């Protein structure tokens, strides 16, 4: 079932002024329930604009964005959209507000006007999902970047959205923090059937998704499974690199080691090399 639809969506910043920037051009796509989609593109390709169009922070100039059949243009429906679709942003420090971790996670459900025992159970469950329950009475400020971002994810989970959008949510983290966040996101998708849209410019991260959508200058240029990583020319034109294992395979190819294209994970590359 398709739960997200963008139909001929265009968005221009500072429309009808001298400072117009066309950020998204005639973008059409649908995303099915339970999907794990990576949205990739070079800096300025329109990824964050798409994230903001999805939760109605921005409204399309042309076309329509619907989530579970509700349009972001309808103010009443927007409330429902935001209960169904949570966004985790790049910088965890800008997303954490309270001085106690559990208070921070409670912020979303409190805004939904839920009863206090319901709030408590949601907060506990959300913190458990990100393996931070034992830290609930601590302060977020002393956490590592990865831990902070996990608390930010818990804050979104406590709203119980069906869809999570992560806008470069790992880009400020060290490799350990990045792995912590990715493991949790993958688990939410596989075990809790959460629909995930992961915005990233790390191709290794994109390779974790079932579907990869590539934006260039606000336009969709590639959309597919692993096959996207064999489109070297198009990716290059979009300012993107192949995932590291595929680059290693290409370099080995230049030295005469013949390997298939599209080796996107270390496991797959290792497998072929040991044949
Ligand atoms: P990405 O997230 O892929 O880096 P963005 O969606 O942030 O891309 O930006 C797409 C384009 O819109 C870029 O050219 C960017 O400079 C421009 N842009 C983004 N935000 C604004 C804004 N608030 N005002 C004007 N231009 C903007
Ligand atoms: Mg961005």
């Amino acid at each position: 079932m398709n739960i997200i639809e963008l139909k001929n969506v265009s968005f221009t910043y500072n429309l009808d002024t001298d400072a117009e920037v066309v950020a998204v051009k005639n973008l059409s796509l649908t995303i099915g329930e339970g999907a794990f989609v990576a949205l990739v593109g070079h800096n300025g390709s329109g990824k964050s604009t798409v994230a903001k169009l999805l939760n109605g922070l921005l409204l399309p100039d042309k076309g329509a964005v619907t989530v579970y059949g509700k349009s972001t243009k309808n103010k009443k429906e927007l409330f429902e959209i935001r209960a169904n679709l949570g966004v985790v942003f790049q910088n965890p420090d800008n997303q954490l507000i309270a001085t106690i971790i559990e208070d921070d996670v409670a912020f979303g459900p409190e805004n939904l006007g839920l009863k206090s025992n319901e709030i408590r159970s949601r907060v506990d469950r959300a913190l458990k999902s990100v393996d931070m329950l034992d830290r609930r009475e601590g302060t977020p400020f002393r956490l590592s970047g990865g831990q902070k971002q996990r608390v930010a994810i818990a804050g979104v989970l406590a709203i119980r959205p069906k869809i999570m959008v992560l806008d470069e949510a790992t880009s400020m983290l060290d490799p350990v923090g990045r792995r912590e966040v990715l493991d949790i996101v993958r688990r939410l998708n596989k075990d809790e059937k959460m629909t995930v849209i992961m915005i990233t410019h790390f191709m290794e991260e994109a390779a974790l998704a079932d579907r990869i959508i590539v934006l260039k200058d606000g336009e969709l240029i590639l959309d597919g499974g692993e096959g996207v990583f064999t489109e070297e020319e198009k990716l290059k034109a979009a300012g993107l690199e192949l995932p590291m294992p595929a680059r290693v395979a290409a370099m080995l190819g230049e030295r005469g080691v013949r390997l298939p294209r599209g080796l996107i994970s270390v496991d797959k590359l290792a497998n072929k090399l040991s044949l």
Side-chain angles (χ1 to χ4, degrees):
M1 186 176 80
N2 286 328
I3 55 171
I4 295 175
E5 182 170 21
L6 277 76
K7 213 170 178 181
N8 306 113
V9 171
S10 294
F11 183 84
T12 302
Y13 289 99
N14 310 318
L15 190 63
D16 298 326
T17 71
D18 292 343
E20 262 190 12
V21 181
V22 181
V24 172
K25 284 180 215 162
N26 200 29
L27 182 63
S28 292
L29 58 94
T30 56
I31 292 175
E33 188 153 49
F36 189 163
V37 179
L39 181 62
V40 300
H42 198 256
N43 250 345
S45 58
K47 304 181 299 296
S48 293
T49 305
V50 170
K52 288 171 190 159
L53 286 163
L54 284 173
N55 81 344
L57 222 55
L58 297 174
L59 298 176
D61 308 321
K62 289 196 202 111
V65 177
T66 53
V67 179
Y68 283 99
K70 314 279 180 198
S71 167
T72 56
K73 282 187 181 165
N74 180 318
K75 272 193 186 150
K76 278 191 199 139
E77 296 184 346
L78 191 55
F79 184 78
E80 260 177 81
I81 289 176
R82 290 191 180 151
N84 277 324
L85 182 145
V87 186
V88 181
F89 291 98
Q90 188 168 37
N91 187 343
D93 289 321
N94 295 344
Q95 296 172 82
L96 305 177
I97 320 152
T99 51
I100 303 291
I101 289 171
E102 62 184 355
D103 294 348
D104 200 277
V105 177
F107 196 74
E110 271 165 6
N111 273 350
L112 292 177
L114 299 169
K115 292 207 181 86
S116 64
N117 56 348
E118 171 70 12
I119 293 173
R120 194 161 315 129
S121 89
R122 284 187 176 209
V123 169
D124 286 358
R125 175 129 187 251
L127 282 170
K128 195 157 176 267
S129 289
V130 300
D131 294 326
M132 290 294 283
L133 190 58
D134 55 338
R135 307 290 289 266
R136 65 181 180 275
E137 287 171 358
T139 172
F141 307 116
R142 277 197 212 106
L143 301 175
S144 69
Q147 289 170 327
K148 282 182 188 167
Q149 202 58 303
R150 280 155 56 193
V151 173
I153 289 173
V156 170
L157 288 178
I159 300 166
R160 299 261 165 101
K162 298 194 180 80
I163 306 163
M164 185 171 315
V165 179
L166 297 112
D167 186 0
E168 310 249 17
T170 65
S171 66
M172 298 182 76
L173 308 181
D174 61 19
V176 174
R178 195 173 297 162
R179 205 168 321 122
E180 288 170 8
V181 169
L182 292 175
D183 284 347
I184 281 154
V185 170
R186 237 184 323 189
R187 202 175 68 212
L188 289 169
N189 174 254
K190 297 288 172 257
D191 300 347
E192 318 245 337
K193 312 285 174 235
M194 184 171 273
T195 305
V196 173
I197 302 175
M198 195 171 59
I199 297 176
T200 181
H201 63 261
F202 295 112
M203 296 305 266
E204 282 80 17
E205 279 184 22
L208 299 173
D210 306 317
R211 176 179 170 196
I212 301 102
I213 296 172
V214 182
L215 290 183
K216 177 176 182 270
D217 301 330
E219 289 182 286
L220 188 154
I221 61 155
L222 287 167
D223 181 358
E226 296 185 353
V228 162
F229 296 109
T230 61
E231 301 277 353
E232 289 170 46
E233 291 309 313
K234 283 191 183 172
L235 290 174
K236 216 183 224 173
L240 297 169
E241 285 192 313
L242 292 174
M244 180 270 289
R247 293 206 305 277
V248 172
M251 284 189 278
L252 289 170
E254 286 164 16
R255 302 288 177 92
V257 182
R258 292 185 53 164
L259 289 162
R261 295 201 305 170
L263 292 170
I264 55 169
S265 70
V266 173
D267 282 351
K268 281 185 182 168
L269 177 60
N271 230 336
K272 288 288 171 197
L273 285 172
S274 61
L275 277 179

